[in-house]
Structure formats: structure tokens, C-alpha cells
Amino acid sequence: MNKKFQEEVQQDALGRLISALKILPGIGPKSAQRMAYYLLQHDRAGAQVLGETLQFAVNHIGHCRMCNSFSEIDLCKTCSDDRRDSKILCIVETPSDQLMVEQTLSFKGLYYVLMGRLSPMEGQGPKELGFDVLMNRIFLTPTDGREAVSEVILATNFTSEGEATAHFLGEVLKSKGISISRIARGIPVGGELEYVDAGTLARAMMDRRPLGS
Amino acid sequence: MNKKFQEEVQQDALGRLISALKILPGIGPKSAQRMAYYLLQHDRAGAQVLGETLQFAVNHIGHCRMCNSFSEIDLCKTCSDDRRDSKILCIVETPSDQLMVEQTLSFKGLYYVLMGRLSPMEGQGPKELGFDVLMNRIFLTPTDGREAVSEVILATNFTSEGEATAHFLGEVLKSKGISISRIARGIPVGGELEYVDAGTLARAMMDRRPLGS
């Protein structure tokens, strides 16, 4: 009887709100409850906006047909910006990674966002990641007057899966007449040798560059 | 030019979603971005449900007219449950606190939820907390056949503000012919004296009870 009563309580609007908030990454039952109470008590207007925005986003945000990143228009703003250099293509795992590269203000080429990484454990193979689309993006001659891709920068993460993805793409792309590079691994700017892990330091030694280059 | 372009990007659906997620308590720009990407990539159905649920909750959840807790119906399930003892009223600060007491399964009376605490710093006085409504709740003779309140349990937090609230309510309620109590302070169940702070231990000594009571 009591059990049934509790379940009934769980199905009211507040219970449903708490359950719904738990879908957010990193949010458990306690945080979801705190969020629900906070919104109802202190920010109903904000909650209303969040509700509308979520629905709008879900129904309007798709993927850019060129770079595969999130976009609500067919061709995203970055891809349609003709001031960017279409000869260089930077391949990243996620839109967050793209944003990080973009924030360095040091890259003026275009992007391709994999929306993942090779991960056999999670069933993410070349097919699931749509590598055929990426190959078309790289090798098909653009019909809109842009220059074709002549250089690919592999900017996947330096995790084992990111490395495997870069290695795989490198293997597929080499001997196709385009230049391929991997972003550098080494000591972070401002980093001290004493606090850097041995693997990174070993790599920094290996990848050393002649002074003045 | 670049600044303006960035602002424009910020105003697209994705940027708006990230901004909207930042209203959640404890969620900063990085987490909001991670959540937005996660929802779009992995759980659009969940995001849709969350959006709908938020809007429904904002528009349908109000306060129970008897206990002041969140409720989508005029009289919440707890208050309308006639198996509960209407003579005992437990006063708590928030719906979470009510839930905590409820989960102990040791209280069968009714609740009153202050939806806050006395806090002059935040402009929360007796008026803002609606103490007049609380007084009516305690002293007005029920017209629905229930028994009137004869015992009040003050279960506000043991923070300085919660204590001040309990003290204030105790002062107002005493000499009105109803029994008033404060929940006990002491060593937590399973707690070891060695690890309990001095204030708690001092209080536990002071509030000691005769064996067998």
C-alpha cells in the first residue's frame, strides 16, 4: 500500500521533472532534486526558457553537410565563410574540440567533426563514424569554386582511442597525394619538466625541433 | 567584425541552449556546453522530454494550500491523506527537508514547509516567509472535520539561520497552549566521539537522556 503510494507520488509533475533532469550528464538523483526545487522556487522564467530552448534545439539542430558539426542551417557559418582557407582541413572528434581550436585564433582552414572516435568497445567503427562521408569531403572536387583539400591536420585527442583514430585516418589518407600532419605533443606552455609525466617528456625529447625553426 | 561574428554565433540555437542550461544551479559554461553537446549527440528524445516536462512543471506546479510545499493540486497528497495525524505539525525549511523526514518513516503527522528561513541578509523576514499563513494553519480550527494542531515540531536546520527561525517560531508559539519541540541534536547514529565536532559533543552531553527513557 505504502509502496504503491510512493510510486504514485513519483509520477506527479515534480517527480517527472526530477526524473527528466537525471538524463543530464553528471546529474544524479540528489542534484536533480536540488535543481527541480531551485527552478520552481527561484527561477520559473528561466525554466520556461530552458524548456522552450531544449525543444527548439532538438527539433532544429542537425549537422552541417560539410563539416558534420552541429548546425541549424544546412551549411554552418564556419563552412560558408569564404575568408577561410578551404585547402586545409582540421579533423577533430567533437564540436567542443573544434571550439577549442577555434579559440586559439591560430587556424584559418576548415574543419571536419567526427562526432566520435574509433572505439571497437562501443561499436564505433569507420562505418559508424561515416568515414566514407569524410573521404568524399576530402577527395571530391568542390563544385562551388572552392579549392580542394590539400592538407589534413589530425587533431583527435591523445587518448588511446584518439590516437588509434588518427593512425587509422593517416593510413587511409597517405599515398593519396595530400599532406597529413598530427598536432604536436609535448610540454604544455608554462609547463615545468619536473611536473610533466614521463611519457610526455619522452615524446617531447623525441619530437624536438632545431632551434629557430 | 570578428567580435560581431562571434556574438552572432552565440545567438544561434546551440548558443541559446548553452546559455539556457547555465541557469541550472551549479552548472557553469563548460558543463552547460558539455550537456548541450551530450543531449544533441546522444539523447535527443530525453532532451525533448526534459523540455516538455520543464514547461509543464512551471505551468502546473504551485503550492499546497495547507502545507505550502510544491504541489500540482490544490491540496497535496500528504495533506489529503486522512490516515495522517493532523494534531502534529512538523515545520521544515524546504520540500527536500520534508522528503528527508518522510523517508525516515517515523513521522505520521502533517507538515508545513516554510520555503526558506529567516535571513535578514537576504531580506527574508517573517512577512516574506508568510508566517501569518503558518499561524492560521496552526490556530484556525479546521472546518473539514480534522483535529486542530496540538503539537508543533520545529525541524529547521541547525545552521544559524535555521536556529534563528526555530527560536523565533518557538517564541511566537509558546504560551499559546500547544506543545512545541525541536528535533534533537547529538551524535549521529553510527558516529564516533573521536570524529564529532566539539559543539555537537557538548550539546549531546547537555541534552543527555536518562537510560531507558
Side-chain angles (χ1 to χ4, degrees):
Chain A
M1 188 70 178
N2 202 23
K3 185 86 194 272
K4 201 185 151 209
F5 179 67
Q6 279 187 342
E7 276 167 16
E8 218 175 299
V9 169
Q10 280 307 307
Q11 284 161 7
D12 64 12
L14 185 58
R16 287 202 307 277
L17 176 58
I18 294 172
S19 302
L21 284 165
K22 280 192 290 192
I23 65 148
L24 296 171
I27 302 303
K30 269 276 175 188
S31 307
Q33 187 188 310
R34 197 165 59 93
M35 283 178 172
Y37 289 148
Y38 170 85
L39 292 175
L40 289 171
Q41 181 76 348
H42 300 291
D43 198 358
R44 283 179 182 243
Q48 175 80 32
V49 170
L50 177 55
E52 285 163 10
T53 315
L54 272 165
Q55 293 190 287
F56 184 88
V58 165
N59 295 315
H60 290 82
I61 298 180
H63 295 273
C64 168
R65 75 175 146 83
M66 253 175 87
C67 72
N68 196 37
S69 191
F70 291 126
S71 173
E72 55 187 308
I73 40 184
D74 181 46
L75 193 64
C76 76
K77 285 193 175 122
T78 310
C79 288
S80 56
D81 183 353
D82 55 17
R83 287 165 302 177
R84 303 194 70 118
D85 183 354
S86 67
K87 294 192 298 301
I88 316 179
L89 188 74
C90 176
I91 300 180
V92 292
E93 295 183 20
T94 65
S96 331
D97 296 339
Q98 178 188 5
L99 199 66
M100 292 305 291
V101 177
E102 199 60 12
Q103 281 170 356
T104 66
L105 301 175
S106 67
F107 179 68
K108 284 292 153 207
L110 294 174
Y111 295 91
Y112 187 86
V113 183
L114 295 171
M115 288 288 168
R117 59 210 67 79
L118 287 182
S119 171
M121 299 284 283
E122 295 165 20
Q124 294 283 302
K127 207 170 171 183
E128 287 74 20
L129 285 178
F131 277 9
D132 46 340
V133 179
L134 171 58
M135 292 307 138
N136 285 344
R137 169 72 185 87
I138 296 174
F139 295 115
L140 284 190
T141 313
T143 53
D144 56 359
R146 285 173 198 278
E147 289 183 272
V149 176
S150 61
E151 182 179 351
V152 167
I153 301 173
L154 300 169
T156 54
N157 289 325
F158 283 104
T159 57
S160 53
E161 291 170 345
E163 285 279 59
T165 309
H167 179 77
F168 184 93
L169 286 171
E171 288 294 311
V172 172
L173 294 174
K174 81 180 177 191
S175 79
K176 299 260 187 178
I178 52 172
S179 133
I180 316 160
S181 59
R182 179 89 171 102
I183 51 168
R185 187 152 51 169
I187 316 290
V189 173
E192 293 176 68
L193 266 62
E194 191 178 346
Y195 301 109
V196 160
D197 68 293
T200 300
L201 186 51
R203 195 72 201 199
M205 295 290 282
M206 228 188 302
D207 294 354
R208 66 192 177 279
R209 301 175 61 168
L211 261 188
S213 82
Chain B
M1 187 69 179
N2 203 21
K3 184 84 193 275
K4 202 185 151 206
F5 179 66
Q6 279 187 342
E7 278 167 14
E8 218 175 299
V9 170
Q10 279 308 306
Q11 285 162 6
D12 64 12
L14 185 59
R16 286 202 308 277
L17 176 57
I18 294 171
S19 302
L21 284 165
K22 280 192 289 191
I23 65 147
L24 296 171
I27 302 303
K30 269 277 175 188
S31 307
Q33 188 187 309
R34 198 165 58 93
M35 283 178 172
Y37 288 148
Y38 170 85
L39 291 176
L40 289 171
Q41 181 76 349
H42 300 292
D43 199 359
R44 283 179 182 242
Q48 175 81 32
V49 169
L50 177 56
E52 286 163 9
T53 314
L54 272 166
Q55 293 191 285
F56 184 88
V58 166
N59 294 315
H60 290 81
I61 298 181
H63 294 272
C64 168
R65 74 175 146 85
M66 252 176 86
C67 73
N68 196 36
S69 191
F70 291 127
S71 173
E72 54 185 311
I73 40 184
D74 181 46
L75 194 64
C76 77
K77 285 193 175 120
T78 310
C79 288
S80 56
D81 183 353
D82 55 18
R83 287 165 303 178
R84 302 195 69 118
D85 183 354
S86 67
K87 295 192 298 298
I88 314 179
L89 189 74
C90 176
I91 300 180
V92 293
E93 294 182 21
T94 64
S96 330
D97 297 340
Q98 179 189 3
L99 199 65
M100 293 306 290
V101 177
E102 198 60 10
Q103 280 170 357
T104 66
L105 302 175
S106 68
F107 179 68
K108 284 292 153 207
L110 294 175
Y111 294 91
Y112 187 86
V113 182
L114 295 172
M115 288 288 168
R117 61 210 67 77
L118 287 181
S119 171
M121 298 284 283
E122 294 166 19
Q124 294 283 303
K127 208 170 171 183
E128 287 73 19
L129 286 178
F131 276 9
D132 46 339
V133 180
L134 172 57
M135 293 306 139
N136 285 345
R137 170 74 184 84
I138 296 174
F139 295 115
L140 285 191
T141 313
T143 53
D144 56 359
R146 283 174 198 278
E147 290 184 89
V149 175
S150 61
E151 181 179 352
V152 167
I153 301 173
L154 299 169
T156 55
N157 288 325
F158 283 103
T159 57
S160 53
E161 291 170 345
E163 285 278 61
T165 309
H167 180 77
F168 183 93
L169 286 172
E171 288 295 310
V172 173
L173 294 174
K174 82 179 179 192
S175 79
K176 299 259 185 177
I178 52 173
S179 132
I180 315 162
S181 59
R182 180 89 171 101
I183 51 169
R185 187 152 51 170
I187 316 290
V189 174
E192 294 176 69
L193 266 60
E194 190 178 347
Y195 301 108
V196 159
D197 67 292
T200 300
L201 186 51
R203 195 71 202 200
M205 296 289 283
M206 227 189 302
D207 294 353
R208 65 192 179 279
R209 301 174 60 168
L211 261 189
S213 80

